[in-house]
Amino acid sequence: MKFIHTADWHLGKLVHGIYMTEEQREVLLQFVELVKEEKPDAVVIAGDLYDRSVPPTEAVELLDEILFKINVELKTPIVAISGNHDSAERLSFGSSWYKHSQFHLKGKLTQDFSPVKIKGVNFHLVPYAEPGIVRQLLNDDRITSHHDAMKAVVERIQEEMDPSESHVFVGHAFVLGGKTSDSERTLSVGGSGCVGAEVFEPFHYTALGHLHSPDAIKHDTIKYSGSLLKYSYSEAKQRKCVCIVEFNEKGKVSIEERKLTPSKDMREIEGYIDELLDPSFYTSQQINDYLKITLHDEGALMDPINKLRQIYPNVLHLERKIDRIDSRQKDQMEVRQHEKKSELELFEEFYQDMTTLPYSDDKKKIIASVMEKAKKVVESK
């Protein structure tokens, strides 16, 4: 049994004011060719098909085009879930009749935990859901974190699992120890968004989405495929791939990675402006790549961005090294000031950031009372 694991397409993604739709189409057509070449028994998409809950029209049309090519033209089954960027309700539309063409799309978590079975392998589809949703769905007040929620869901799945068969978990989560980038939306404040890797022990393979690097976690059976493209400069040095997963007759898993390569890479370069504009330098560069350029010059510069764009048309971000150092020093100063603030002051900042509402005296009194009670509970233990 062979399937291809991919995730985090983020169709409709806007990077520094540029829609990545054409680059996404280019790479997805490579993906279609890979499916045609490999002839897998299924394609697994582990969430974040779109970049936002209401994607632009071009993104919807691109998803429709690619899924049609894979599922209808190549007659390849698809199993897919929603991620934290998707709208679970919108992706759930049509799912009941999609199944007739072996397109299994689960947008919302429901009480139905029965797997999708393809060539003897059970695919357990668990779309992204907040802990509060899972707590209500399972009627379990003990669920307060993403780890609690995932553990409870897996326990429900295990109730009906046949241990003599092969099982694949398809989910969208932040596994503890995973390496993040600037492109991933934080799931929860603090550590409550993390899920322990031990939760997935009952499964022969865990196909995950959310973290954008295929190297985000090192584990024999838990794997992030990574994102379709580089979506921020923090990903500039990441490799991008999809995973070809095979189960042999004894249920053993082997994983092969295959690269997808866009015509325009996302890279960072730095130096003095005269060096970067020197033909001896730029003739050895891929000048059409999406670039972040850091200049080492310290004096005044006349219109550097337009000078650079005459050679490098896709400069998306320009900064000065001295400004970056000043910014780092400012951040460190803010951290030191932050450390001196009381819990009440820190909560006030958090409240205003999250709600944009005024933090009234009545609210201060309520939070102060809650904090005092919490401290007493901790001290009594």
Side-chain angles (χ1 to χ4, degrees):
M1 199 286 177
K2 175 168 67 173
F3 63 90
I4 300 179
H5 167 204
T6 180
D8 295 282
W9 290 3
H10 289 279
L11 302 185
K13 181 72 174 179
L14 192 66
V15 178
H16 289 278
I18 303 292
Y19 278 106
M20 306 301 289
T21 311
E22 284 309 309
E23 285 71 25
Q24 289 169 331
R25 171 177 281 105
E26 180 184 327
V27 171
L28 283 171
L29 289 175
Q30 290 180 33
F31 182 69
V32 171
E33 287 302 309
L34 178 64
V35 174
K36 189 184 297 185
E37 173 192 332
E38 289 291 328
K39 297 179 174 57
D41 299 299
V43 166
V44 173
I45 312 173
D48 281 354
L49 286 81
Y50 292 124
D51 188 59
R52 62 189 77 172
S53 58
V54 184
T57 303
E58 293 79 9
V60 177
E61 291 173 348
L62 177 56
L63 183 64
D64 179 70
E65 173 191 348
I66 297 301
L67 295 183
F68 184 85
K69 286 178 181 294
I70 294 170
N71 186 233
V72 178
E73 293 181 359
L74 298 180
K75 296 180 172 57
T76 304
I78 296 174
V79 292
I81 60 168
S82 65
N84 61 304
H85 281 250
D86 297 309
S87 166
E89 288 76 14
R90 284 185 172 85
L91 279 187
S92 293
F93 172 80
S95 57
S96 57
W97 83 66
Y98 293 162
K99 293 176 184 177
H100 291 288
S101 66
Q102 290 287 291
F103 178 19
H104 306 276
L105 175 59
K106 193 160 186 177
K108 292 190 296 184
L109 191 67
T110 66
Q111 291 279 5
D112 182 8
F113 291 100
S114 55
V116 173
K117 184 170 285 192
I118 301 173
K119 288 195 71 174
V121 174
N122 297 278
F123 291 86
H124 302 273
L125 308 187
V126 180
Y128 175 79
E130 291 288 341
I133 299 294
V134 182
R135 180 170 61 245
Q136 184 177 13
L137 183 72
L138 300 183
N139 193 26
D140 187 345
D141 292 336
R142 297 171 299 173
I143 296 173
T144 59
S145 67
H146 282 269
H147 178 84
D148 297 338
M150 192 67 79
K151 186 171 181 289
V153 167
V154 170
E155 286 172 354
R156 287 292 294 272
I157 290 172
Q158 282 186 279
E159 291 175 6
E160 300 176 18
M161 278 177 66
D162 182 345
S164 67
E165 297 182 348
S166 296
H167 297 272
V168 174
F169 183 94
V170 183
H172 196 87
F174 178 19
V175 174
L176 192 62
K179 297 176 184 176
T180 63
S181 72
D182 294 342
S183 309
E184 297 130 4
R185 189 178 295 165
T186 303
L187 299 182
S188 288
V189 177
S192 63
C194 299
V195 176
E198 70 277 5
V199 170
F200 305 108
E201 285 180 5
F203 305 96
H204 296 85
Y205 182 82
T206 297
L208 291 177
H210 181 56
L211 298 185
H212 286 189
S213 169
D215 302 309
I217 189 170
K218 298 294 184 183
H219 196 282
D220 291 340
T221 60
I222 301 172
K223 183 73 175 171
Y224 286 100
S225 66
S227 58
L228 187 68
L229 294 171
K230 298 174 182 179
Y231 289 128
S232 72
Y233 286 103
S234 64
E235 298 180 27
K237 294 181 181 178
Q238 288 182 5
R239 58 199 186 86
K240 298 298 175 183
C241 65
V242 297
C243 302
I244 301 175
V245 184
E246 290 196 61
F247 281 78
N248 66 20
E249 293 176 355
K250 297 181 179 179
K252 295 289 184 181
V253 179
S254 64
I255 305 168
E256 178 191 352
E257 294 179 347
R258 294 287 287 273
K259 286 177 62 176
L260 300 175
T261 308
S263 57
K264 296 188 188 76
D265 196 4
M266 184 173 284
R267 296 188 296 114
E268 297 180 84
I269 59 174
E270 59 179 86
Y272 292 95
I273 191 166
D274 289 342
E275 294 173 344
L276 301 181
L277 296 177
D278 190 322
S280 66
F281 175 79
Y282 69 70
T283 51
S284 65
Q285 296 284 314
Q286 295 292 331
I287 59 174
N288 288 316
D289 286 347
Y290 291 118
L291 296 176
K292 172 186 175 181
I293 296 180
T294 302
L295 295 177
H296 292 181
D297 305 78
E298 294 183 10
L301 294 173
M302 294 295 291
D303 198 17
I305 186 71
N306 284 321
K307 288 180 180 177
L308 288 163
R309 280 181 175 159
Q310 288 177 24
I311 305 298
Y312 311 96
N314 295 310
V315 178
L316 299 187
H317 183 75
L318 178 66
E319 65 180 33
R320 304 279 290 275
K321 190 171 185 178
I322 190 167
D323 293 337
R324 190 168 65 186
I325 294 169
D326 290 345
S327 174
R328 194 179 301 137
Q329 290 171 342
K330 183 181 176 184
D331 290 344
Q332 289 170 349
M333 189 179 298
E334 287 177 354
V335 168
R336 285 195 292 270
Q337 291 172 346
H338 203 65
E339 288 171 347
K340 294 177 183 177
K341 292 181 180 178
S342 68
E343 288 98 335
L344 278 171
E345 289 171 327
L346 291 171
F347 185 84
E348 180 176 355
E349 283 185 9
F350 169 74
Y351 180 85
Q352 290 174 333
D353 285 344
M354 292 296 104
T355 67
T356 69
L357 297 173
Y359 192 60
S360 65
D361 289 338
D362 288 342
K363 291 172 184 174
K364 287 180 184 177
K365 289 176 183 176
I366 293 169
I367 295 302
S369 173
V370 170
M371 286 184 174
E372 189 61 33
K373 289 178 182 176
K375 285 178 181 177
K376 287 180 179 177
V377 170
V378 172
E379 289 169 359
S380 66
K381 289 185 177 181

